[in-house]
Amino acid sequence: MRDDQLLRYSRHILLDAIGIEGQQRLLAAHALVIGAGGLGSPVGLYLGSAGVGRITVVDDDRVDTTNLQRQIAHRMDRVGTPKAESLAAAIAALNPEVVVQPLVRRADAALLAELVPQADVVIDCSDNFRTRHAVNAACVQHRRPLVSGAAIGFDAQIAVFDARRADAPCYACLFAPDAGHEDVACATMGVFAPLVGIVGSTQAAEALKLLAGIGEPLAGRLLMLDALAMRFDEIRVARTDDCPVCRLSSPT
C-alpha cells in the first residue's frame, strides 16, 4: 500500500480484525450493487469510502425530486440524471481512486449472468421481488455471497445468503418465487427517511466483512427492524429441501 493509502485507511488498519491485509483485500475487491436508490446510496458511499477497489452499480431509473427525502447520494442538480450515474459521481467525489462502473440498465437475468460471476459480493438494493429473485438465482448459480435488504414504512429486513456454504439458505428458501408476494411501493406506502440509511449501512457492513474475511456474517439469519420502536429481532432461517433454486445447486 502507498503512504497516502495507509493514511486514508488508517482507522481500518488500526482494527486488529482488518489490519493491512484486510484493507488490501478491500482494495482488490469487486462489489456489484443492484439499485442506486435509498439502500444503494449508503451502500455505495460506504463501500467507496472504505476503499473497495471496483464497484459496479446497476439501476435503470432516474433521480426524481421525491427521491431526495431519503436517497442521500443524489442532489437537486442531478434530478433527471440516471441514478446509477448520480451514485457513481457521489462515490467518485468521496474517493476518486475507486473504479465505479454505472450501468443504466434493468438487472435482468441476462445482465446478471454476465455481471455476477465477475463480482466478489453482490448487494441487492432493489425494490421488487422479481429483481430480488433474479439476483438470488444468479448468486446461487455462480456461488456468490448475496447481501439482501428491504425497507418500507418503518419496517426493514436484512440478511446474507451465501451460496458457497452447503448448509446456507438462499433468498428463495425464505420467500418462495411462486408464493405470490406483492410488491409494496414507497410511492403509495411511504418510507421513513433514516430507515434506508440504517439498512443500507448494515448491508455495507456485511459486504465489507465478507470481502475482508472477518467476523460472523448474517448468514442463516434474518434481521428485522421496527424503527418506530427501534427494536431489532432476529430469526434463524434454514435451507429448505424443496427450494426450487438452491436444491439443484448444491456445492460440490
Side-chain angles (χ1 to χ4, degrees):
M1 293 177 65
R2 303 188 312 267
D3 288 345
D4 61 320
Q5 292 176 318
L6 291 170
L7 178 62
R8 182 181 186 105
Y9 305 116
S10 61
R11 299 314 189 262
H12 262 179
I13 294 169
L14 287 169
L15 297 172
D16 290 339
I18 297 180
I20 290 179
E21 290 185 0
Q23 186 61 48
Q24 287 175 322
R25 285 193 286 269
L26 296 180
L27 293 170
H30 180 194
L32 173 60
V33 181
I34 307 298
L39 301 179
S41 288
V43 165
L45 292 174
Y46 271 116
L47 295 185
S49 69
V52 173
R54 293 175 58 203
I55 302 173
T56 300
V57 181
V58 180
D59 196 307
D60 67 343
D61 199 7
R62 292 177 177 270
V63 179
D64 184 83
T65 303
T66 60
N67 302 148
L68 303 179
Q69 164 253 9
R70 65 200 177 281
Q71 299 183 15
I72 58 172
H74 309 309
R75 308 184 319 201
M76 278 293 297
D77 61 355
R78 292 205 288 264
V79 169
T81 301
K83 287 184 180 179
E85 295 179 1
S86 177
L87 178 54
I91 296 171
L94 188 62
N95 190 349
E97 283 199 346
V98 174
V99 177
V100 186
Q101 180 185 19
L103 295 177
V104 186
R105 296 176 60 182
R106 181 172 293 275
D108 58 19
L111 182 62
L112 291 168
E114 174 187 346
L115 297 179
V116 169
Q118 303 175 35
D120 298 304
V121 67
V122 180
I123 305 98
D124 184 0
C125 303
S126 64
D127 60 0
N128 64 88
F129 282 106
R130 183 174 184 176
T131 301
R132 290 170 189 151
H133 279 294
V135 172
N136 175 70
C139 288
V140 170
Q141 179 182 358
H142 298 288
R143 304 281 187 265
R144 294 297 185 270
L146 168 62
V147 183
S148 175
I152 194 71
F154 292 92
D155 300 313
Q157 300 173 342
I158 311 104
V160 170
F161 303 100
D162 194 343
R164 301 170 301 179
R165 296 171 48 173
D167 62 337
C170 77
Y171 183 82
C173 291
L174 186 59
F175 300 101
D178 58 356
H181 298 289
E182 292 187 8
D183 292 315
V184 181
C186 58
T188 56
M189 290 292 294
V191 60
F192 186 45
L195 179 65
V196 292
I198 297 170
V199 177
S201 297
T202 304
Q203 287 181 273
E206 289 299 308
L208 291 171
K209 284 163 54 184
L210 287 164
L211 292 174
I214 63 171
E216 179 184 354
L218 196 60
R221 297 178 287 151
L222 178 67
L223 188 64
M224 299 176 293
L225 169 62
D226 173 358
L228 272 180
M230 200 49 71
R231 181 177 62 242
F232 286 90
D233 295 302
E234 179 185 295
I235 62 172
R236 291 282 176 176
V237 182
R239 183 170 183 170
T240 59
D241 294 335
D242 60 348
C243 174
V245 177
C246 65
R247 67 184 173 89
L248 299 177
S249 303
S250 299
T252 55

